[in-house]
Amino acid sequence: MQVLLNIDVGDVTRAITFYRDALGLTHARTLFEGAVAEMLGAGCRIYLIERATYEPATESGDALRTYERHWTPVHPDFVVEDVDQALAQAITAGAIAETSVRTFDWGRLVTLSDPFGNGFCLIEFPGEPYALESGPSGTAEAP
């Protein structure tokens, strides 16, 4: 099994530039007459998919696709070596920082959004991801 990450955007060309400049992803190819861009570099293939603003989000219901800031419980976390440097790079490319950099026992984290309203995090781990004392089940406890 593999994971493909699909991110809806209002403008594929602008999104390619953002994800390249903000996160260092590589544009591998453009598909479907320019409507989809494949980006590589975060351990999985990331597809930027152009969708029209105010297009129905589902076949049922009245939710419309918008590119204002929205919240979703599923979002990508990009693990970086230096969260402060990565944050500065992302902001320069057009990201919006939504929190300050926060420090936890397991590492440092900042939450952001891309120019299309999609949330993502930058995380710096000092060692293994979420490496803390083992919990009752013998696995590392995450926040």
Side-chain angles (χ1 to χ4, degrees), residues 17-73:
T17 300
F18 173 78
Y19 280 92
R20 180 196 65 214
D21 295 350
L23 299 167
L25 300 180
T26 301
H27 176 227
R29 60 187 174 146
T30 302
L31 307 161
F32 309 112
E33 299 178 11
V36 176
E38 180 182 66
M39 305 295 285
L40 304 175
C44 72
R45 294 178 194 191
I46 297 173
Y47 292 93
L48 306 174
I49 303 172
E50 189 166 305
R51 299 285 197 175
T53 303
Y54 303 114
E55 167 184 274
T58 65
E59 288 184 7
S60 61
D62 56 0
L64 298 176
R65 196 176 309 279
T66 69
Y67 293 106
E68 298 148 7
R69 179 62 174 114
H70 53 275
W71 180 86
T72 176

Side-chain angles (χ1 to χ4, degrees), residues 8-138:
D8 291 351
V9 298
D11 180 326
V12 166
T13 302
R14 185 172 162 220
I16 292 168
T17 300
F18 173 78
Y19 280 92
R20 180 196 65 214
D21 295 350
L23 299 167
L25 300 180
T26 301
H27 176 227
R29 60 187 174 146
T30 302
L31 307 161
F32 309 112
E33 299 178 11
V36 176
E38 180 182 66
M39 305 295 285
L40 304 175
C44 72
R45 294 178 194 191
I46 297 173
Y47 292 93
L48 306 174
I49 303 172
E50 189 166 305
R51 299 285 197 175
T53 303
Y54 303 114
E55 167 184 274
T58 65
E59 288 184 7
S60 61
D62 56 0
L64 298 176
R65 196 176 309 279
T66 69
Y67 293 106
E68 298 148 7
R69 179 62 174 114
H70 53 275
W71 180 86
T72 176
V74 178
H75 62 272
D77 288 348
F78 295 95
V79 177
V80 298
E81 292 199 19
D82 181 335
V83 78
D84 297 305
Q85 183 277 327
L87 172 61
Q89 181 177 329
I91 288 172
T92 298
I96 297 169
E98 298 186 332
T99 65
S100 58
V101 175
R102 294 174 285 166
T103 301
F104 301 91
D105 291 341
W106 48 263
R108 299 175 71 217
L109 168 124
V110 62
T111 59
L112 305 101
S113 62
D114 73 8
F116 309 97
N118 299 301
F120 67 96
C121 297
L122 299 174
I123 299 179
E124 176 185 328
F125 293 114
E128 284 295 310
Y130 300 115
L132 293 175
E133 294 178 36
S134 292
S137 65

